[in-house]
Amino acid sequence: MLGKILSLVIACTGAAATPSLAQLSTEPGRTIIVLDASGSMWGQIEGRAKIEIAREVIAQFVRDLPPGTELGLVAYGHRQKGDCADIELVVKPGALDAAAFQKVVDGLMPIGMTPLTDAVVFAAEALAYTEVKATVILVTDGKETCDRDPCEAARALEKAGIDFTAHVIAFDVAMEDLASLECLPKETGGMFLTADDASTLGDALNIAVETAPEEPEELPEPDPATIRAPETVTAGSVFEVTWEGPDDRADFITIVLKGAKEGEWGKYVYTRTGSPAELTAIIEPGAAEIRYIHGRTRKTLGRAEIVIVPAEVALKAPAEAVAGSSVQVGWTGPGNAGDFITIVKKEADDDTWAQFAYAHAVSPVGVIAPLEHGEAEIRYLAGQDRRVLARIPIELTEASVILRAPEKAVAGSTVKVEWTGPDNQGDFITIVPKDTEEKKWAKYTYTRAGSPAEIEAPIEPGAAEIRYIAGQGRETLARTPLEVEAAVVSLEAPGEAIAGEPVEVTWTGPANSGDFITIVPRDLDEKTWGKLAYATAGSPSKIQAPVEAGEGEIRYHAGQNRKILARIPIKILPGE
């Protein structure tokens, strides 16, 4: 693991306290967003890559910012792997152009490391934190991975800064990694927030930029809260919770198994969304508890008992199918967010899957079977924690493939190949030199085009091979030899021509797709050409001579790779 999947830092400066979105219209802040573009950004939440979630949330966030906001963007981990110094200012701070800003965010491709601590320091220094008030909002899904101590850095920033504050949003962070992140806000007087999807990430960002109320030196105990919810809900389902409580900044409602330690939380929703709130049930059946958690103190202010009942799931499919084929699977079940159906080898661990189809679609759904034949299993997995909720066996039979084609073909020509086979999604037929390594291909035709398939032979003569390749895994399912013979090409034309005038060229050759004849200066690079005539138009061809007098050459080029198959000289005479 490259560390945290997402780290987003927003650094603000100004003479007043951290402004709310409404205040920004009259008190514009100067802001830098630092976005983690590390390789782990491709990790998923309920079937969506975290980089996609981040792009979506940032797009909405910048659209909501008022006119006059000054915003810049720093990215890291987006240029090379394994480099903890890969931090770059990709948008200079200035008047916000939301569309241009988002275009840059969308163009970041995660590949590298996640220097969490250096990113916070970089943002602070970019805004001259030792001279003016500065606030940083860090959104991360994990701990520091570049051998820096965020707690030590936070203490140094707090000591050197005029008025430095760091907030942290823990985005889908493992419970055991939270402690390493809490010191950043604790040392600098900031807030510690959490997020586990697009909705809560957006809420947390907005909470972080809202103006905090003036707090007395001694904070009073928060008022208690009350919660009303159904007595039972189905595992993984979305249900309504009605609540009354202080609704302080960052308060949230969560659901956990009964007996969970105080301070723990599962699925949750911030109270800023209002009452009633929509909460997602945990996937573990049994006695559970809904808790109102105070954001500042993490104390439980109210609770209500609830029972999680198992989801009823059933699967229906053929007893056997061809390996690699699309299997129609009928299903009944909760269809919760992220639920999916997959086919795997019978002995595969429960937390593994192969090709899959989401259970949001209408039943039945098509699921691609593994390419290996033998005993397998169709499984329904919960999107929330990848738990197997139902399974049925299926026997995968070996795919039978036969290829029939001529024994010889002219280099670059179109070869007709008759075939029988599974015609699974993505399957194709290609012709390659015989020594080409497996899982490599040249010109090809998808089997969905039917039999016979038409494929261009290699342009180089010699021993070749026709291969039927599976779309899944690129495994070769069948092969047959083909001898590729050199194309015989001849050119005939006058020995001289007037510059810029048409020249009639008689020729013989394969006339393969894209083959052409051209007239060029003799010393012209072999991969360059001038005026041309395609060989498919027939012989003779008329081609305009170069406009410069001198030694020239008539050339026949293969369309497949522009290789010159024949050439003859011609003298270009000056025109009148």
Side-chain angles (χ1 to χ4, degrees):
M1 170 119 178
L2 286 174
K4 60 186 185 304
I5 302 292
L6 172 66
S7 175
L8 166 70
V9 180
I10 302 178
C12 308
T13 63
T18 307
S20 68
L21 293 180
Q23 288 176 318
L24 280 171
S25 60
T26 56
E27 300 177 20
R30 198 159 185 259
T31 304
I32 290 178
I33 294 180
V34 180
L35 178 63
D36 180 348
S38 69
S40 53
M41 288 268 298
W42 295 113
Q44 294 192 346
I45 296 176
E46 295 182 349
R48 294 189 62 204
K50 291 187 180 180
I51 180 62
E52 295 175 358
I53 295 174
R55 288 169 179 161
E56 176 186 282
V57 171
I58 293 170
Q60 185 62 51
F61 183 74
V62 296
R63 280 198 299 267
D64 289 344
L65 291 174
T69 300
E70 291 190 10
L71 189 66
L73 177 67
V74 168
Y76 60 85
H78 60 293
R79 293 175 294 185
Q80 52 190 330
K81 295 181 179 180
D83 185 2
C84 286
D86 185 11
I87 303 172
E88 181 187 14
L89 180 66
V90 291
V91 177
K92 292 182 180 180
L96 174 63
D97 181 336
F101 188 94
Q102 189 59 33
K103 185 177 180 181
V104 174
V105 174
D106 290 344
L108 297 174
M109 299 304 293
I111 60 171
M113 297 291 286
T114 54
L116 179 156
T117 304
D118 285 344
V120 174
V121 174
F122 186 92
E125 290 177 347
L127 292 169
Y129 78 105
T130 60
E131 302 172 17
V132 295
K133 178 182 175 69
T135 301
V136 170
I137 303 172
L138 169 67
V139 182
T140 175
D141 91 322
K143 55 187 178 181
E144 169 70 45
T145 62
C146 286
D147 298 324
R148 290 293 307 276
D149 184 352
C151 299
E152 181 182 339
R155 287 190 289 269
L157 290 168
E158 176 68 13
K159 183 177 180 180
I162 293 294
D163 187 356
F164 180 77
T165 305
H167 302 304
V168 170
I169 301 174
F171 184 42
D172 194 37
V173 175
M175 194 67 68
E176 60 269 20
D177 291 335
L178 292 174
S180 66
L181 300 172
E182 289 183 296
C183 64
L184 273 167
K186 183 177 180 180
E187 293 290 345
T188 61
M191 298 185 64
F192 186 72
L193 304 163
T194 57
D196 65 354
D197 55 21
S199 176
T200 49
L201 179 58
D203 284 341
L205 282 170
N206 285 307
I207 290 169
V209 298
E210 289 169 357
T211 302
E214 290 292 332
E215 294 182 345
E217 291 186 7
E218 292 187 11
L219 296 174
E221 283 294 313
D223 294 332
T226 58
I227 297 172
R228 290 181 293 277
E231 293 182 359
T232 62
V233 293
T234 302
S237 65
V238 177
F239 64 99
E240 282 193 352
V241 175
T242 303
W243 58 269
E244 293 176 2
D247 191 19
D248 286 348
R249 195 180 185 201
D251 287 4
F252 62 94
I253 297 169
T254 188
I255 182 169
V256 294
L257 285 174
K258 190 172 182 179
K261 294 180 181 178
E262 291 299 316
E264 289 187 6
W265 61 87
K267 289 292 183 180
Y268 59 90
V269 61
Y270 283 104
T271 60
R272 72 190 303 273
T273 61
S275 177
E278 288 192 341
L279 193 60
T280 300
I282 53 181
I283 205 68
E284 181 76 31
E289 194 172 68
I290 303 170
R291 297 176 180 176
Y292 185 113
I293 307 292
H294 190 235
R296 175 168 48 81
T297 63
R298 286 291 188 265
K299 290 183 178 180
T300 301
L301 303 185
R303 64 187 80 217
E305 293 186 355
I306 192 169
V307 175
I308 310 297
V309 298
E312 294 183 2
V313 183
L315 298 169
K316 184 178 182 181
E320 66 177 38
V322 175
S325 66
S326 178
V327 181
Q328 292 296 304
V329 181
W331 62 274
T332 57
N336 294 326
D339 289 4
F340 62 93
I341 299 167
T342 189
I343 305 176
V344 295
K345 298 291 290 182
K346 186 177 181 180
E347 64 273 14
D349 294 338
D350 278 5
D351 59 351
T352 61
W353 58 91
Q355 302 277 350
F356 63 87
Y358 284 111
H360 310 159
V362 176
S363 175
V365 294
V367 186
I368 305 298
L371 198 59
E372 299 83 5
H373 61 280
E375 292 184 334
E377 231 174 32
I378 303 173
R379 299 175 180 174
Y380 184 113
L381 278 75
Q384 188 175 129
D385 67 351
R386 306 296 191 265
R387 183 190 304 262
V388 178
L389 301 183
R391 67 184 84 212
I392 58 172
I394 185 170
E395 183 73 22
L396 300 179
T397 60
E398 188 173 8
S400 175
V401 183
I402 299 174
L403 298 171
R404 290 182 294 273
E407 295 180 356
K408 298 180 180 180
V410 174
S413 65
T414 299
V415 182
K416 286 189 176 181
V417 181
E418 294 181 350
W419 61 271
T420 58
D423 189 21
N424 292 328
Q425 182 179 334
D427 288 3
F428 61 93
I429 300 170
T430 187
I431 306 177
V432 294
K434 189 175 182 179
D435 58 356
T436 300
E437 64 181 280
E438 294 300 308
K439 299 189 178 183
K440 300 290 184 181
W441 56 91
K443 296 288 184 177
Y444 63 90
T445 297
Y446 285 111
T447 59
R448 65 170 179 258
S451 178
E454 295 187 349
I455 309 109
E456 285 186 24
I459 200 65
E460 298 295 337
E465 205 167 60
I466 303 171
R467 297 177 181 176
Y468 184 113
I469 298 183
Q472 182 185 159
R474 302 295 189 264
E475 300 290 339
T476 300
L477 302 186
R479 66 188 81 217
T480 188
L482 177 72
E483 187 66 29
V484 178
E485 299 177 329
V488 178
V489 183
S490 66
L491 297 168
E492 189 176 333
E496 297 178 345
I498 303 297
E501 295 294 321
V503 180
E504 185 171 279
V505 181
T506 303
W507 58 270
T508 60
N512 293 326
S513 175
D515 288 4
F516 63 89
I517 302 155
T518 187
I519 305 176
V520 295
R522 183 178 291 180
D523 59 356
L524 193 68
D525 179 82
E526 298 212 349
K527 293 290 186 180
T528 311
W529 52 90
K531 298 290 185 179
L532 59 85
Y534 285 106
T536 51
S539 176
S541 300
K542 284 192 174 183
I543 307 111
Q544 183 180 324
V547 295
E548 298 292 334
E551 298 299 321
E553 202 167 63
I554 303 173
R555 299 173 178 176
Y556 184 110
H557 286 259
Q560 189 175 127
N561 67 352
R562 305 299 189 260
K563 181 179 180 180
I564 297 175
L565 303 183
R567 68 181 86 206
I568 59 172
I570 186 170
K571 189 176 184 64
I572 309 300
L573 304 176
E576 294 182 4

